[in-house]
Amino acid sequence: MCGIVGYVGDKTAVPILLNGLKRLEYRGYDSSGIAVLKNGEIADAKTEGKLERLERLLRERPLEATVGIGHTRWATHGRPSDLNAHPHTDCRNTLAVVHNGIIENYLHLKERLESEGHTFKSETDTEILAHLIESNYKGNLFDAVREALKQVQGSYAIGVVSKEEPDRLVAARKDSPLLVGLGYGENFIASDIPAFLSYTRRALGVGNGEVVLLTRDEVRMANLEGKQVFREGFEVLWDAKMAEKGGYKHFMLKEIHEQPKVIMDTLSGRVDPANGAVTLEDLGLDLSPYKKIYIIACGTAYHASMVGKYILEDLAKVPVEVDLASEFRYRDPQVDKSSLVLAVTQSGETADTLAALREAKDKGAAAITICNVVGSSVTREVDGLVYTRAGPEIGVAATKTFTAQLTALFMLAVRMAGERGSLPPEELERLGKELLTLPQKVEATLDEKKSLLQCARQYARCRDFLYLGRHINYPIALEGALKLKEISYIHAEGYAAGEMKHGPIALIDENVPVVALTPRDKVYEKMLSNIKEVKARDAIVIAVAFRGDPDIHKYVDHIFPVSTTDPYFTPLLSVLPLQLLAYYIADRKGCDVDQPRNLAKSVTVE
């Protein structure tokens, strides 16, 4: 949530800042603004609403400068308004601050600062930072930021500029994402890589409790105590074109169709085509000694983790618990040094997942992650990792990152089964080779659109949907329902089909389409029984089934065919038509598919 950009160099800053903010729109926002150093003074423009309004303001009142900061705000303290939009300034308008996060002790700090004579203009917690830095300024902005942040409780990623030091930009972070883009004669800060990827592919992660000083030619880092920090930068392996729509109407549709390549890239070099052996060299950890696995995640990643539980228990014969990270951190999880904690996260910056991970590590557990963002916070706090290689995902509703997470979990399960000796070699080889067929099967499934478009036309006006699945496809029922809710605003629920008679069947009538996940696996006959139950109550039934299934058409109204694969890997194919159905319905309704209301891509505050 919220997006930060900053620039220091010799180019005109405003176009660079606006371009960066556009690249961060997917994070969700309700207002935006920029501040630059113009003719030795702080000049700003900020407004409630979309970036088009900010651009209009800047056309009417151009701001020429080579140093500046920008922000897209998601309101936490104070309603969305022009006044509450970032950047915020101090009493004398000598410095400006942008901030992502929450200052938990802001009321205490505000009372103290007001007693010292500071006057506040907004309702935000962020404005505290501007006045706090002002009160600590003694001729060095870098030191003033450090001293101010020592007094702050909560989470933050900030960018600060001051007219007293017009060639400098200072940034800092704690529990909110922030990266540095390393250019030539220019440097950048941003909440996420796409914001500066048009200008440089060299990046540097900022650690918790670290402050960064940027000039056009230098980047220096230190902790809050002033001790210098040295960290290697990294090369971003994808380019700016990957974050463009490429001819598709929406980013979400593009990202759905990128899934064959994403899965292929995630498998590449990790599964041997000759013998199916899974080698996860970047994992760097022997998984065999651990007696129990705890998977922690949020949202779509939680649904992927639920699939992971089934396959890890079935293949590796290890007990697995799956927790919503937001719940794990508030109970007393009984983890110890015999436990392995797996954090599944697209961004690597999800606040609840990071907090839960730290809770487990404090109790002695080993930790690994499945993550999509190189250099993100979670990757710096674990003992081993698996990158998903999905590239940038701009659509707020996760699609390709979900199937990439499933692919990584499949590989992890097969590898762990090999390490623990829980499957015979010939079965490990068969599963490994089947993994390599998935990209082609995903592509073939995505080509099946006719029945999806027909259902979108027929049922876009329905107010409720029900999704049913069993065993390994139960989490896919949850994910399908989530996708529809997220982008079309239609009420949808996912259920374990065996629970139908325990309440949900009361919802069924001719106005509630039921989506049933029915690949031919060990629960196929049970799913047919559930379908007959809902058909007896006049429900419309839409089935996701293997292409060429000879029986399913006898019981349902519509069929979304998917390629045949091993039952363990069916979730990766079953989810594809559900993603497309949600997309086509949302598009038909005229919804903002890529930026659904009230949602943000990465939830970096509680």
Side-chain angles (χ1 to χ4, degrees), residues 37-79:
L37 294 168
K38 179 181 179 183
N39 300 325
E41 298 292 335
I42 296 287
D44 66 17
K46 54 185 188 174
T47 179
E48 181 186 357
K50 292 294 186 180
L51 278 170
E52 288 82 359
R53 295 183 65 178
L54 180 62
E55 289 179 293
R56 190 161 57 246
L57 277 179
L58 291 165
R59 284 194 296 269
E60 296 168 357
R61 184 166 58 91
L63 299 177
E64 295 294 328
T66 58
V67 178
I69 50 178
H71 190 265
T72 50
R73 177 180 187 247
W74 177 282
T76 51
H77 293 81
R79 63 186 176 85

Side-chain angles (χ1 to χ4, degrees), residues 139-174:
N140 187 306
L141 183 62
F142 186 75
D143 289 342
V145 170
R146 284 195 308 103
E147 293 302 320
L149 292 177
K150 288 180 184 178
Q151 303 168 56
V152 166
Q153 297 170 14
S155 60
Y156 55 78
I158 66 170
V160 189
V161 292
S162 169
K163 73 176 190 178
E164 306 295 342
E165 301 179 35
D167 60 346
R168 295 183 170 195
L169 166 63
V170 175
R173 77 168 287 260
K174 178 180 178 291

Side-chain angles (χ1 to χ4, degrees), residues 376-497:
S376 57
S377 293
V378 74
T379 65
R380 299 196 294 272
E381 298 192 24
V382 293
D383 305 299
L385 53 85
V386 179
Y387 284 121
T388 49
R389 302 173 181 169
E393 186 174 65
I394 306 303
V396 167
T399 52
K400 65 176 182 175
T401 54
F402 176 71
T403 50
Q405 287 167 352
L406 289 181
T407 304
L409 284 162
F410 294 157
M411 288 192 293
L412 198 65
V414 173
R415 170 174 162 161
M416 196 167 188
E419 289 182 353
R420 295 171 66 88
S422 56
L423 288 177
E426 58 271 20
E427 180 65 2
L428 289 170
E429 179 177 349
R430 186 189 70 80
L431 289 170
K433 289 182 175 179
E434 180 65 18
L435 280 172
L436 294 174
T437 70
L438 291 176
Q440 184 179 357
K441 291 179 177 181
V442 167
E443 189 164 14
T445 298
L446 289 173
D447 287 340
E448 300 277 0
K449 295 187 178 69
K450 185 177 179 181
S451 56
L452 289 163
L453 289 165
Q454 179 186 349
C455 285
R457 285 193 296 269
Q458 282 187 248
Y459 306 123
R461 293 188 178 181
C462 290
R463 298 181 62 183
D464 304 279
F465 270 71
L466 196 63
Y467 289 72
L468 300 178
R470 281 180 181 262
H471 190 241
I472 204 164
N473 278 289
Y474 161 49
I476 303 306
L478 297 174
E479 176 62 13
L482 177 61
K483 284 292 148 298
L484 191 65
K485 282 184 279 196
E486 283 180 311
I487 63 171
S488 75
Y489 317 140
I490 293 172
H491 172 252
E493 297 293 341
Y495 282 100

Side-chain angles (χ1 to χ4, degrees), residues 444-584:
T445 298
L446 289 173
D447 287 340
E448 300 277 0
K449 295 187 178 69
K450 185 177 179 181
S451 56
L452 289 163
L453 289 165
Q454 179 186 349
C455 285
R457 285 193 296 269
Q458 282 187 248
Y459 306 123
R461 293 188 178 181
C462 290
R463 298 181 62 183
D464 304 279
F465 270 71
L466 196 63
Y467 289 72
L468 300 178
R470 281 180 181 262
H471 190 241
I472 204 164
N473 278 289
Y474 161 49
I476 303 306
L478 297 174
E479 176 62 13
L482 177 61
K483 284 292 148 298
L484 191 65
K485 282 184 279 196
E486 283 180 311
I487 63 171
S488 75
Y489 317 140
I490 293 172
H491 172 252
E493 297 293 341
Y495 282 100
E499 293 295 296
M500 278 294 293
K501 291 180 180 177
H502 296 275
I505 201 165
L507 300 172
I508 300 298
D509 62 26
E510 68 277 6
N511 298 311
V512 180
V514 176
V515 180
L517 298 163
T518 56
R520 278 192 173 264
D521 55 15
K522 65 182 181 182
V523 294
Y524 178 77
E525 295 297 334
K526 297 289 186 183
M527 283 300 303
L528 291 185
S529 295
N530 293 124
I531 289 171
K532 291 172 187 176
E533 287 173 354
V534 297
K535 284 299 291 179
R537 285 140 182 98
D538 300 320
I540 303 153
V541 179
I542 303 164
V544 176
F546 283 160
R547 187 181 295 109
D549 186 315
D551 302 313
I552 192 69
H553 69 278
K554 303 172 188 175
Y555 310 108
V556 302
D557 300 280
H558 307 275
I559 300 172
F560 298 160
V562 301
S563 301
T564 303
T565 187
D566 184 277
Y568 286 119
F569 305 145
T570 55
L572 195 143
L573 298 169
S574 298
V575 76
L576 304 174
L578 306 190
Q579 294 173 345
L580 283 168
L581 178 65
Y583 171 79
Y584 288 132

Side-chain angles (χ1 to χ4, degrees), residues 6-14 16-17 36-37 64-69 161 165-170 181-189 199 213-219:
Y7 175 76
V8 54
D10 57 7
K11 296 187 178 77
T12 302
V14 169
I16 294 170
L17 297 173
V36 299
L37 294 168
E64 295 294 328
T66 58
V67 178
I69 50 178
V161 292
E165 301 179 35
D167 60 346
R168 295 183 170 195
L169 166 63
V170 175
L182 302 170
Y184 296 96
E186 59 186 2
N187 288 300
F188 311 78
I189 60 167
Y199 312 100
L213 172 66
L214 300 93
T215 68
R216 55 176 294 179
D217 298 313
E218 180 188 23
V219 173

